[in-house]
Amino acid sequence: MTKRSKRVAIAIIGATAFTLAGCRDEKIDAAAFPDVQSCKNEASFGGTFTAADCETSFAEAETLHVESAPRYNSLDVCEEQHGEGACGSEAQQTQGGSGGIFMPLLAGYLIGNMLGGRSGMAASQPMYKTADGKFTNAARTSTYSSNKGAAKLSTSQFTRPATTVGKTPMTRATASSRGGFGKVGSGRTGFGG
């Protein structure tokens, strides 16, 4: 092997190692709260997040809820996916929404540390109940056993979900074809066991 080919081989090995390191899924400190007051209570005891973080993240989760919550064409279909009493009309939950479209109620929110300002990411995510009593995010990428707790989560769980505003609401057939809300995501994460 010539001196020049050794240098090229070393450069390729170095580039490969750097690329593989970049492919690793980054984990961040995250917490789930059922409401903003629970987050502020934990902040008062020196939690990971400050009271200001709690309020900012909750406001962002509410905005994402309005933009990206799953929408259904009937209350029955929504409650089949999220449980009885866990849904309301779009008109009740947004300003100017339809009374004939139904969305799950916000059942909590996730806060991710150090995510603010990243392209395509949201520092917080709305959480919704699933029909089996668990919780999931708007993008349906993960299911959580609780809406309260802290863990290291993948940054992919904070990807900004696609908007559902103005889209055709899901029918029983479209919701069933997707396996139900909260059953598409492959990740299961335990907040609180």
Side-chain angles (χ1 to χ4, degrees), residues 33-35 65 86 104-109 126-129 134-135 147:
F33 299 97
D35 53 49
H65 168 66
L105 301 174
L106 192 62
Y109 67 111
M127 295 179 79
Y128 304 107
K129 276 187 165 179
K134 295 185 170 137
F135 298 88
N147 63 350

Side-chain angles (χ1 to χ4, degrees), residues 7 72 78-79 87 141 163 172 175 191:
R7 285 187 194 153
Y72 302 95
C78 186
E79 288 187 339
C87 295
T141 55
T163 185
R172 180 170 284 119
F191 281 119

Side-chain angles (χ1 to χ4, degrees), residues 33-111:
F33 299 97
D35 53 49
V36 70
Q37 190 58 49
S38 299
C39 181
K40 289 166 97 175
N41 289 346
E42 190 167 312
S44 69
F45 293 111
T48 304
F49 303 100
T50 66
D53 293 336
C54 295
E55 290 182 11
T56 301
S57 297
F58 185 71
E60 184 177 3
E62 284 184 313
T63 299
L64 284 175
H65 168 66
V66 170
E67 294 173 359
S68 306
R71 285 168 161 78
Y72 302 95
N73 69 344
S74 77
L75 181 61
D76 289 343
V77 174
C78 186
E79 288 187 339
E80 286 171 9
Q81 301 299 315
H82 299 281
E84 188 174 328
C87 295
S89 74
E90 183 183 52
Q92 292 170 327
Q93 298 185 61
T94 66
Q95 295 178 352
S98 169
I101 296 175
F102 296 87
M103 306 164 49
L105 301 174
L106 192 62
Y109 67 111
L110 287 172
I111 302 176

Side-chain angles (χ1 to χ4, degrees), residues 2-18:
T2 66
K3 194 173 189 179
R4 184 174 179 196
S5 65
K6 285 181 183 177
R7 285 187 194 153
V8 171
I10 289 172
I12 290 171
I13 290 170
T16 303
F18 182 75

